[in-house]
Amino acid sequence: MPQVFDTTHPLTFHRRLYRGDSRLRVALVGQHNSGKSTIFQAVASTHYRTGKFSGTNKSYAECPVQIGADEMHLVELPALHSLRGLTGADLEAMKYLLWGDERPLVSRHEQHDPPAPFPRPDILIHVIDASVLGRSLELTLELLELGLPVVVALNMMDEARRKGVVIDVEALSARLGIPVIPTVALKGHGLATLFDQVLSTARQAICPLPQPIGLPLQPWLQQMRHILYGSDACAEHTRTAFNLPADFLLMQLLEQDPYLGREVASHCPDLLPAIEALHKTAASELSRPLATEVEADRHQRAISMFESVATIMHRPATTTEERLDMFFLHPRWGLFGSLAVFAAILFLVFEVSATLDALSAARLATWISAWQPETATGIIGRAVADGLIGLIGIVIPYMLPLVLMLVLLEETGIMQRIAFVVDRFFHAVGLHGKVAVPFLLGLGCNVPAIAATRSLCHGRDRVIASLLITFVPCSARSAVVLALGAKYLGAAGVFALFLLNLLIIALLGRLLSHRYPELSPGIIQEIPAYAWPRWHPLLAGTWQRTSDILTIVTPLLVAGSIILALMQFAGMDQWINTLLTPVTGWMLGLPVAMGVPILFGVLRKELSLAMIYQALGTFEIAPLLDHIQITTFLVFLLFYIPCVSTFAVMLKVIGRKEALFSIILSIGVALIAATCVRMLLTLSSPLF
């Protein structure tokens, strides 16, 4: 049989974990429908490895998982109901728990490394369906005999509560002698605590003691122990032949396990007569065969333990928090719920912004429209005023309400639930759901969103996430889209623009995942409790994400407005507009005068709108641009070069090469998307 590390010796396990021989290996074990696969999918990376144990057709999955600064290898084994009397693939899974799989794996999915052996796991996570705790504990009692650290994930606690089963988790942990962590894997509850406990238990490197069997069976256990380990020579022979935890081997032979019975006949034929004699003697003295008595004893111990830690009560009323989680964290409806939340945000911002715009920027624009200076000093003064009015028209009606709503979602805990649900979407585009939070932050500003990827992911995930975040409509771009789209295209047009943005990000994600095919570790997402928003954190978070408007955007906006006004005064803007005519006029079908505003949008996207007003000489652009031109411009604005501050942070996060690639990618995507939209709208307009 394969020879592996003896993890029953804590010092050996400790050296293996911290000497650098290998990373921590964690095996997920559980019965059918216990939620084992749900836990794996919740924490796994996008490109995980699946394979088959040698000689079987039942597959397992394996991937690295990041836990803070530590990294582990997580293996999801095929479902097991018991460790007794196994055959086929179930027997191979048990062999892996005992000795590892030293034969090369047979890969089926996303294999980038050469075939390699699978060493024995260092620690087990036993996933239990809390709603059927009694029958699940029998497998727990068997796993405790393997000489490995075990952590129980008491899953589906919400389902147990709906059935009226109340479990004393601390009492269960004390009875088993191992950590027990309550989880609701489908909703992400308890997963962060579970893996923190796994890491802590592995560091302690203490294996649990097997639960003692009933008193009537202990004499037979002692006799079997005497047969196998009665003398030093006999014990050494048994350990060399089987390399198994003593308690596991004894219990297997008491229950006449077919596989180990054959191994005894093959490796230690001299022990076979004594073992057979013990079973014959037991059959004559007991009312049932010894194997049946041992099985009944284990069942009775499991039921007794369940009755001592569980209370059956009337089904409790469903709480408001549970109803919200049933909606937001549902595998299918949760995604629709997330889209509904953002649709509601856009609708509220759309309604609020129209009122705020009419009360602020629109009145100021009307008031200043009569000022038509002719001197250089007057032109500069008017440019400063136009820049400030443009800033007010973007920030007050559009940016502040949008950022305030995003911070509100974070404070209430809804944003984190949306991030958990859209994990499936991010897997589809080649990323882990851990990047969902940076993407959602990107709706406020791309700069902190890209910076957040440094702490949440690394390698190819960080590069792909950073590249895609530049296409997320930040509050500045969203404000411009809302300012023009809400006024001239209506709510349906604005929603269509954001939907197009989402589709292109998904397509780019799939393409970029092929450009960066490396395997990356998964990570655990934590779901906080719901909370009422507090005014101080809400306002502080909003200010933190919009304060750079005063320090960065305002000078750029005013300076850009002055430069544009002076260029117009000197006639220099005509040169730039002429140079950009192939893009603005030929490809996008826009007025040539929009070349300079588009170019200055590289500094800050807010500059584009203010400078368009200035370049066209009016705050009412409908007479000068039709709906096709407005739509084409907004599509181009959504995708083309990120602002200077975003590019600067990309240089720090992903390096110069990838940052320059992002510029080329954004220009190409913006031109292709805007041109295609323009052609489709032009072809379809005669039909309406």
Side-chain angles (χ1 to χ4, degrees):
M1 292 187 180
Q3 300 296 311
V4 297
F5 287 95
D6 184 5
T7 55
T8 59
H9 297 291
L11 290 179
T12 301
F13 178 83
H14 183 84
R15 285 195 302 270
R16 181 182 175 193
L17 180 58
Y18 291 101
R19 190 179 55 196
D21 294 340
S22 64
R23 285 170 288 187
L24 179 69
R25 301 194 69 85
V26 182
L28 280 169
V29 184
Q31 298 176 336
H32 282 289
N33 301 320
S34 62
K36 174 171 53 67
S37 297
T38 305
I39 291 179
F40 182 84
Q41 293 293 337
V43 304
S45 58
T46 55
H47 298 283
Y48 57 85
R49 183 184 308 172
T50 63
K52 305 172 186 175
F53 287 116
S54 304
T56 72
N57 290 320
K58 190 173 286 189
S59 63
Y60 61 84
E62 185 268 344
C63 80
V65 176
Q66 193 79 32
I67 304 178
D70 298 284
E71 187 174 308
M72 65 171 60
H73 280 286
L74 185 65
V75 181
E76 182 200 358
L77 296 180
L80 288 172
H81 279 281
S82 173
L83 299 182
R84 315 298 190 207
L86 301 181
T87 59
D90 293 337
L91 177 59
E92 294 300 322
M94 187 189 73
K95 289 181 182 179
Y96 167 68
L97 293 175
L98 294 171
W99 304 294
D101 188 9
E102 294 193 350
R103 292 157 292 187
L105 59 86
V106 182
S107 176
R108 301 192 313 157
H109 176 78
E110 298 284 359
Q111 173 83 22
H112 301 294
D113 302 319
F118 260 20
R120 189 188 191 202
D122 301 312
I123 185 170
L124 306 179
I125 298 177
H126 182 205
V127 186
I128 291 179
D129 181 354
S131 64
V132 288
L133 178 61
R135 76 182 187 194
S136 303
L137 286 174
E138 293 187 49
L139 178 57
T140 309
L141 296 176
E142 296 179 73
L143 293 174
L144 295 180
E145 301 166 0
L146 294 178
L148 289 171
V150 180
V151 175
V152 168
L154 196 59
N155 196 33
M156 301 187 187
M157 290 292 286
D158 56 338
E159 184 65 25
R161 185 180 183 277
R162 277 194 289 271
K163 291 182 178 181
V165 180
V166 180
I167 301 171
D168 188 337
V169 177
E170 292 183 0
L172 179 60
S173 177
R175 287 288 303 268
L176 290 172
I178 57 176
V180 177
I181 308 298
T183 64
V184 183
L186 193 62
K187 300 175 181 177
H189 295 318
L191 297 187
T193 304
L194 171 64
F195 282 92
D196 285 341
Q197 183 61 61
V198 167
L199 195 59
S200 175
T201 303
R203 284 173 173 162
Q204 296 174 22
I206 299 175
C207 301
L209 295 175
Q211 297 287 309
I213 63 174
L215 289 175
L217 294 175
Q218 289 187 10
W220 305 106
L221 179 64
Q222 294 302 323
Q223 292 183 45
M224 184 67 75
R225 188 184 302 275
H226 180 74
I227 294 172
L228 297 179
Y229 303 98
S231 65
D232 292 340
C234 185
E236 181 63 28
H237 179 58
T238 302
R239 281 193 292 267
T240 303
F242 297 103
N243 190 27
L244 285 172
D247 294 284
F248 178 78
L249 179 59
L250 291 171
M251 296 302 296
Q252 290 285 84
L253 293 180
L254 281 179
E255 293 195 61
Q256 294 182 295
D257 181 77
Y259 168 69
L260 282 178
R262 293 191 300 269
E263 294 298 323
V264 169
S266 174
H267 292 81
C268 303
D270 53 316
L271 299 178
L272 199 58
I275 295 174
E276 291 177 348
L278 184 149
H279 279 281
K280 288 180 181 179
T281 304
S284 64
E285 297 184 14
L286 299 173
S287 59
R288 293 179 293 187
L290 181 57
T292 305
E293 290 288 350
V294 173
E295 182 181 359
D297 174 75
R298 186 171 57 252
H299 177 73
Q300 189 276 331
R301 284 186 288 140
I303 294 300
S304 175
M305 188 178 300
F306 167 72
E307 292 175 347
S308 67
V309 301
T311 305
I312 308 300
M313 304 178 63
H314 293 294
R315 179 180 293 184
T318 304
T319 65
T320 303
E321 290 79 7
E322 289 176 329
R323 291 192 183 96
L324 289 173
D325 276 351
M326 289 170 63
F327 178 67
F328 281 116
L329 295 176
H330 191 276
R332 291 183 296 275
W333 294 111
L335 187 58
F336 289 101
S338 302
L339 293 175
V341 167
F342 284 108
I345 289 176
L346 290 178
F347 175 77
L348 288 175
V349 173
F350 177 82
E351 291 296 323
V352 171
S353 299
T355 303
L356 292 178
D357 188 32
L359 295 175
S360 58
R363 290 188 177 183
L364 291 174
T366 303
W367 176 71
I368 203 174
S369 60
W371 184 18
Q372 299 294 331
E374 297 181 357
T375 64
T377 304
I379 289 174
I380 293 175
R382 174 61 191 269
V384 172
D386 286 341
L388 293 176
I389 292 174
L391 179 70
I392 293 172
I394 294 170
V395 174
I396 293 178
Y398 302 104
M399 183 178 292
L400 281 177
L402 180 61
V403 174
L404 182 67
M405 294 298 292
L406 292 176
V407 176
L408 179 68
L409 291 181
E410 291 183 27
E411 289 292 317
T412 56
I414 295 176
M415 182 72 85
Q416 292 82 353
R417 284 163 172 79
I418 292 174
F420 182 81
V421 168
V422 299
D423 175 74
R424 300 173 181 87
F425 166 77
F426 282 103
H427 274 245
V429 302
L431 285 171
H432 192 273
K434 61 193 172 185
V435 302
V437 172
F439 269 74
L440 296 176
L441 288 176
L443 293 171
C445 180
N446 291 170
V447 174
I450 294 175
T453 63
R454 301 181 69 176
S455 59
L456 291 176
C457 53
H458 57 82
R460 53 92 63 182
D461 274 3
R462 180 187 297 174
V463 173
I464 295 178
S466 298
L467 293 174
L468 292 180
I469 285 173
T470 62
F471 293 97
V472 174
C474 63
S475 57
R477 277 186 282 190
S478 298
V480 176
V481 171
L482 289 169
L484 289 181
K487 193 171 184 179
Y488 300 110
L489 303 179
V494 172
F495 186 78
L497 287 172
F498 286 118
L499 183 60
L500 174 65
N501 185 266
L502 182 65
L503 293 175
I504 289 181
I505 289 176
L507 178 61
L508 287 175
R510 295 303 301 171
L511 295 175
L512 290 173
S513 65
H514 291 293
R515 186 174 188 264
Y516 306 94
E518 297 86 2
L519 188 68
S520 60
I523 199 168
I524 296 95
Q525 299 186 69
E526 189 170 0
I527 308 295
Y530 289 102
W532 287 104
R534 294 171 296 170
W535 281 109
H536 184 268
L538 184 64
L539 296 178
T542 304
W543 170 251
Q544 181 183 6
R545 300 185 189 184
T546 56
S547 58
D548 63 343
I549 297 295
L550 297 177
T551 59
I552 299 175
V553 177
T554 303
L556 287 175
L557 196 61
V558 172
S561 182
I562 292 173
I563 293 172
L564 179 59
L566 292 177
M567 289 175 62
Q568 288 178 328
F569 181 73
M572 294 176 59
D573 59 322
Q574 302 293 333
W575 302 346
I576 298 176
N577 289 332
T578 302
L579 291 175
L580 294 178
T581 298
V583 174
T584 55
W586 302 349
M587 297 186 68
L588 303 180
L590 300 174
V592 175
M594 293 182 66
V596 171
I598 288 176
L599 181 63
F600 273 76
V602 175
L603 296 177
R604 293 288 297 192
K605 291 298 180 285
E606 301 94 328
L607 289 172
S608 295
L609 184 58
M611 289 189 155
I612 285 173
Y613 291 152
Q614 190 171 352
L616 297 179
T618 177
F619 287 95
E620 280 296 332
I621 64 173
L624 303 177
L625 299 177
D626 58 27
H627 74 282
I628 295 179
Q629 291 174 310
I630 293 174
T631 305
T632 301
F633 167 72
L634 292 179
V635 171
F636 184 80
L637 181 79
L638 279 173
F639 298 113
Y640 94 112
I641 305 177
C643 65
V644 172
S645 53
T646 301
F647 180 74
V649 77
M650 290 185 72
L651 289 173
K652 295 181 179 179
V653 174
I654 61 176
R656 182 175 59 183
K657 177 182 176 182
E658 300 301 342
L660 291 174
F661 173 71
S662 73
I663 292 179
I664 298 173
L665 181 66
S666 61
I667 292 175
V669 170
L671 288 174
I672 293 173
T675 303
C676 290
V677 167
R678 178 198 173 197
M679 293 175 62
L680 288 174
L681 291 177
T682 303
L683 292 174
S684 61
S685 58
L687 302 177
F688 298 97

